[in-house]
Amino acid sequence: MNQDIAIMILQESGFEVDVAFDGVEAVDMVTEAPAGHYDVVLMDVQMPRMDGYEATTHIRALDDPQKANVPIVAVTANAFEEDVATAKEAGMNGHLAKPYDIDAMMEMLDGLIPIDPANTARP
């Protein structure tokens, strides 16, 4: 349900959204997409086959620096300081707690995604 809510919020805000159903698929999607295709990855930390921390580690190890450095935000129901620290240690750029605070989500995305002044539409 949280994923559906996030998708709806993001799409209504003008974002194009792709969904990976597990960590392996998330890594594959970033690996196989052209460099620059993804502006940000919202990474659930509790996914089957490969958790979000491990998936982030794999993305950070990609040979293409543009893909390897895509901003990644941890998405989790755990909002303790240790969870935020674990996300940073895994190479994530931010942390969002569930249930979503829409204003906090938009503020984080605005800080991570450069907006092209010639195109004010969101990626």
Side-chain angles (χ1 to χ4, degrees):
M1 184 185 304
N2 280 311
Q3 183 182 67
D4 293 338
I5 293 168
I7 291 168
M8 182 183 66
I9 292 166
L10 293 168
Q11 288 176 335
E12 287 179 359
S13 297
F15 289 91
E16 292 179 29
V17 179
D18 291 335
V19 177
F21 295 98
D22 61 49
V24 172
E25 188 174 348
V27 172
D28 289 346
M29 289 171 73
V30 172
T31 301
E32 294 169 9
H37 179 76
Y38 292 110
D39 293 309
V40 66
V41 174
L42 299 180
M43 184 76 75
D44 195 320
V45 299
Q46 295 179 343
M47 293 186 289
R49 297 199 313 162
M50 180 187 296
D51 70 29
Y53 301 124
E54 186 178 353
T56 297
T57 301
H58 283 278
I59 292 169
R60 294 295 183 233
L62 293 174
D63 290 334
D64 184 320
Q66 191 171 5
K67 292 179 183 184
N69 292 306
V70 64
I72 301 174
V73 177
V75 178
T76 177
N78 302 320
F80 298 108
E81 286 182 35
E82 62 203 40
D83 300 304
V84 175
T86 301
K88 288 187 183 215
E89 289 169 14
M92 295 177 167
N93 303 85
H95 181 279
L96 289 172
K98 295 187 266 184
Y100 296 110
D101 175 332
I102 297 168
D103 291 334
M105 179 189 294
M106 291 301 135
E107 184 177 326
M108 175 156 308
L109 293 175
D110 283 343
L112 291 173
I113 302 172
I115 300 295
D116 179 352
N119 178 11
T120 56
R122 294 198 179 271

